[in-house]
């Protein structure tokens, strides 16, 4: 498998789950400004022109939450995903969808080239206003637990970690989000997460 990624983007969730899985994979870094990887057109891999994309034996898979689910199903010994049809399985689906639709797509980095919000303090405040209540909901649900579903590491946690990492990247405060801050710090202690963060380096919007 080959993961097309940009440093610190949502593809980080897939990268972490791949690393946690022990599966064989390689990486291809995409420049989201030029939409190229190496000197190749990324649009030929993923016409949607965003990351993540995972090249598998079955073709190129897109949509972060779906890719996470795909990987989770490949490694049955890791319990990344609950048994189909159980209450916890549906809980995981609800969280994946919530993170994808309520957080991921509202979490806009105004300073990133090509983003549709102007790079102003006002834009940043608007993003904060939008994401804060959604983060607060997760913060309160999490309570003193380490992980989101059943207090066990699962496919939803790397995706949530991308969001807490973006709280840092946008220099938002963790005030009233202390459970999420603790979650973020705990995730950073995981060996797989350390390896991935080191390998990805500075976030794509900050690396030039
Ligand atoms: N619906 C997609 C959205 C992916 C997405 O928004 N990716 C961002 C990075 S986090 C991206 O590559 N954006 C490209 C761009 O804005 O040009 C998913 O859930 O995977």
């Amino acid at each position: 498998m080959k993961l097309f990624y940009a440093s610190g983007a949502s593809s980080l969730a897939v990268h972490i789950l791949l690393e946690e899985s022990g599966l064989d994979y390689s990486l291809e870094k995409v420049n989201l400004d030029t939409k190229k990887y190496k000197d190749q057109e990324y649009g030929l891999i993923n016409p949607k022109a965003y990351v993540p994309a995972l090249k598998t034996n079955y073709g190129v898979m897109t949509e972060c939450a779906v890719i996470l689910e795909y990987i989770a199903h490949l490694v049955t010994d890791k319990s990344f995903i609950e048994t189909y049809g159980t209450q916890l399985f549906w809980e995981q689906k609800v969280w994946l969808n919530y993170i994808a639709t309520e957080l991921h797509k509202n979490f806009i980095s105004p300073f990133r080239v090509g983003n549709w919000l102007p790079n102003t303090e006002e834009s940043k405040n608007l993003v904060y206003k939008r994401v804060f209540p959604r983060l607060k909901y997760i913060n309160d649900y999490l309570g003193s637990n380490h992980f989101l579903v059943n207090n066990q590491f699962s496919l939803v946690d790397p995706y949530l970690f991308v969001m807490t990492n973006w709280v840092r990247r946008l220099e938002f405060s963790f005030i009233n989000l202390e459970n999420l801050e603790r979650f973020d710090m705990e995730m950073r202690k995981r060996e797989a997460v350390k390896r991935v963060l080191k390998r990805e380096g500075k976030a794509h919007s900050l690396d030039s």
Side-chain angles (χ1 to χ4, degrees):
M1 287 184 291
K2 183 183 277 189
L3 172 65
F4 290 82
Y5 80 105
S7 305
S10 48
S11 44
L12 175 63
V14 177
H15 194 177
I16 290 172
L17 201 66
L18 280 170
E19 190 67 19
E20 294 270 359
S21 74
L23 293 167
D24 245 1
Y25 69 95
S26 61
L27 292 169
E28 201 69 70
K29 191 170 185 167
V30 178
N31 182 325
L32 289 179
D33 299 336
T34 59
K35 307 285 185 197
K36 285 187 184 250
Y37 66 100
K38 298 192 184 112
D39 55 352
Q40 312 279 308
E41 292 301 327
Y42 180 56
L44 297 175
I45 299 291
N46 178 11
K48 293 171 176 170
Y50 52 60
V51 291
L54 188 69
K55 201 168 178 186
T56 72
N57 290 341
Y58 312 104
V60 175
M61 188 170 290
T62 58
E63 303 306 315
C64 191
V66 178
I67 302 173
L68 290 171
E69 209 173 319
Y70 173 76
I71 296 164
H73 279 296
L74 292 180
V75 279
T76 44
D77 57 322
K78 298 273 184 180
S79 306
F80 289 155
I81 191 161
E82 295 288 337
T83 309
Y84 175 80
T86 58
Q87 188 183 342
L88 291 174
F89 171 86
W90 292 115
E91 262 181 46
Q92 289 175 330
K93 291 284 244 194
V94 170
W95 282 119
L96 286 175
N97 202 62
Y98 182 79
I99 295 169
T101 58
E102 297 299 327
L103 277 167
H104 181 173
K105 296 313 293 181
N106 278 320
F107 232 125
I108 297 152
S109 306
F111 47 78
R112 197 176 90 57
V113 178
N115 264 342
W116 51 269
L117 270 180
N119 185 7
T120 62
E121 214 37 42
E122 196 193 351
S123 298
K124 220 173 112 171
N125 292 339
L126 281 173
V127 174
Y128 179 74
K129 243 176 120 173
R130 185 79 181 159
V131 297
F132 177 79
R134 288 160 173 78
L135 289 168
K136 177 83 169 72
Y137 171 73
I138 305 185
N139 180 78
D140 294 352
Y141 182 90
L142 189 64
S144 58
N145 281 352
H146 288 289
F147 304 110
L148 202 47
V149 177
N150 208 23
N151 207 13
Q152 278 174 16
F153 178 85
S154 77
L155 77 173
V156 299
D157 298 299
Y159 206 4
L160 178 57
F161 176 69
V162 171
M163 303 302 127
T164 58
N165 195 41
W166 288 354
V167 168
R168 293 183 189 283
R169 186 167 77 172
L170 270 80
E171 296 173 335
F172 290 159
S173 159
F174 276 105
I175 289 174
N176 290 321
L177 300 174
E178 284 80 6
N179 298 330
L180 277 181
E181 185 175 25
R182 186 179 36 77
F183 165 86
D184 178 270
M185 290 187 311
E186 289 298 320
M187 284 291 288
R188 282 169 202 280
K189 288 183 194 159
R190 297 177 74 84
E191 292 306 318
V193 175
K194 279 190 214 168
R195 286 194 296 274
V196 165
L197 288 176
K198 189 165 176 213
R199 185 143 186 211
E200 290 207 0
K202 253 198 290 177
H204 67 94
S205 50
L206 309 173
D207 62 3
S208 55

